[in-house]
Amino acid sequence: MRLLIDVGNTALKAALCLQGEIKPCDVSALPWRQINELVYASVGKNEQLNGLLAQASAFQVPCFEAKVTKQLSNLSCAYQQFSNLGIDRWLGLIAAFQLWPQQDCIVIDTGTATTIDVLTAQGQHLGGWILPGLDLMTRSLTQNTQRVFDDANTPFANELGVNTPNGLKNGALVATLGAVEQAKLHLTNKKPQLIFAGGYGALLKAQFLDAIYDPQLVMKGLNYWYELSKN
Ligand SMILES: Nc1ncnc2c1ncn2[C@@H]1O[C@H](COP(=O)(O)OP(=O)(O)O)[C@@H](O)[C@H]1O
Ligand SMILES: CC(C)(COP(=O)(O)O)[C@@H](O)C(=O)NCCC(=O)O
Ligand SMILES: [K+]
């Protein structure tokens, strides 16, 4: 069994991969004796990750860290300084390229930040954008203004705001949706496959026709990275 670990700026996510099936798991109750290798990706330092790596070595489980490369199979990274690209973004691109081959894709991962990456059918990463995540957007305003306030029961909606929490939340949503529309302009094919992942992925996916929400996208990318890199 393969343990997959994805460390973001907010949370560490874990999953177990068995015969190609990826299932989220709880790191506090890991079947260490059935784990053959630990494959991980991290966008920053993380104490919890260090603890897991220490446990892995205690159980003699080999560990492999995913890194961004300029090229991986037919996928190529837009960044000259490819090591500066967030590994989560690279993994999302790997998963999109493997799952939707010969298809222009836009990968949107909503975590602490919302990242948007444009990928051509030929596997060329054209680049993308880094936006504050929806909660980061709303928090930055409530914490830096006197009269903008939020309301936990107000949903994010693609509508004009008719009160302060509406204006705040809907503004964060439409800013993010607008960026996705802008990303489409960088592809000649006007109907690229939109692939959403991350905490608000389902919410964003619902705003578009024929879009995909895959909460395990980054984990699938991590697994593909390992398969493609170990050979
Ligand atoms: N189930 C959820 N419902 C709503 N928001 C979520 C949920 N999970 C995550 N989020 C949002 O995404 C952020 C963290 O999600 P995650 O994908 O774990 O981020 P990261 O990859 O940056 O660690 C949270 O700050 C919150 O904004
Ligand atoms: C933008 C990110 C922080 C998103 O990570 P997350 O929201 O998952 O914590 C991450 O992709 C990152 O650290 N990127 C490095 C800068 C870049 O991608 O250009
Ligand atoms: K993420």
Side-chain angles (χ1 to χ4, degrees):
M1 208 168 349
R2 182 173 302 159
L3 175 59
L4 303 169
I5 305 282
D6 164 24
V7 181
N9 284 285
T10 293
L12 178 146
K13 280 75 73 183
L16 285 168
C17 179
L18 190 59
Q19 278 119 23
E21 182 78 24
I22 293 177
K23 286 203 181 66
C25 68
D26 177 353
V27 289
S28 58
L30 290 169
W32 281 108
R33 300 202 188 295
Q34 284 104 351
I35 293 171
N36 315 91
E37 63 246 321
L38 186 161
V39 184
Y40 68 102
S42 178
V43 291
K45 301 218 173 317
N46 182 291
E47 269 319 300
Q48 202 183 358
L49 173 65
N50 295 339
L52 286 167
L53 296 176
Q55 278 184 287
S57 67
F59 284 95
Q60 275 135 11
V61 171
C63 298
F64 305 89
E65 183 176 10
K67 292 283 185 187
V68 180
T69 46
K70 185 67 183 160
Q71 191 85 20
L72 183 70
S73 139
N74 293 332
L75 176 65
S76 56
C77 180
Y79 278 28
Q80 276 316 305
Q81 289 78 22
F82 54 84
S83 61
N84 287 345
L85 182 76
I87 183 63
D88 54 320
R89 296 175 64 185
W90 185 236
L91 298 179
L93 288 162
I94 295 170
F97 190 49
Q98 294 291 332
L99 294 167
W100 287 274
Q102 319 302 331
Q103 168 96 36
D104 290 345
C105 297
I106 300 178
V107 180
I108 305 100
D109 185 2
T110 66
T112 309
T114 295
T115 53
I116 298 175
D117 283 288
V118 179
L119 174 66
T120 68
Q122 295 70 33
Q124 175 62 49
H125 173 222
L126 299 182
W129 297 307
I130 302 168
L131 311 177
L134 296 179
D135 291 346
L136 211 45
M137 283 192 190
T138 53
R139 256 201 323 272
S140 66
L141 282 166
T142 53
Q143 289 173 0
N144 291 285
T145 63
Q146 293 191 47
R147 293 166 58 84
V148 176
F149 61 92
D150 199 350
D151 165 45
N153 301 319
T154 300
F156 290 94
N158 186 357
E159 295 159 2
L160 291 173
V162 290
N163 59 54
T164 303
N166 272 176
L168 176 69
K169 283 193 148 130
N170 298 1
L173 177 63
V174 299
T176 305
L177 299 180
V180 175
E181 290 304 331
Q182 286 296 311
K184 288 184 188 172
L185 305 180
H186 296 272
L187 286 166
T188 43
N189 160 8
K190 288 301 163 228
K191 295 194 81 53
Q193 180 60 59
L194 299 184
I195 306 160
F196 293 91
Y200 285 110
L203 169 76
L204 295 178
K205 178 256 181 204
Q207 315 295 326
F208 297 91
L209 270 180
D210 306 327
I212 298 276
Y213 167 56
D214 185 344
Q216 296 308 323
L217 188 80
V218 172
M219 286 297 184
K220 289 176 183 174
L222 183 55
N223 201 44
Y224 282 127
W225 172 85
Y226 180 72
E227 293 293 338
L228 292 166
S229 307
K230 73 180 180 181
N231 307 329

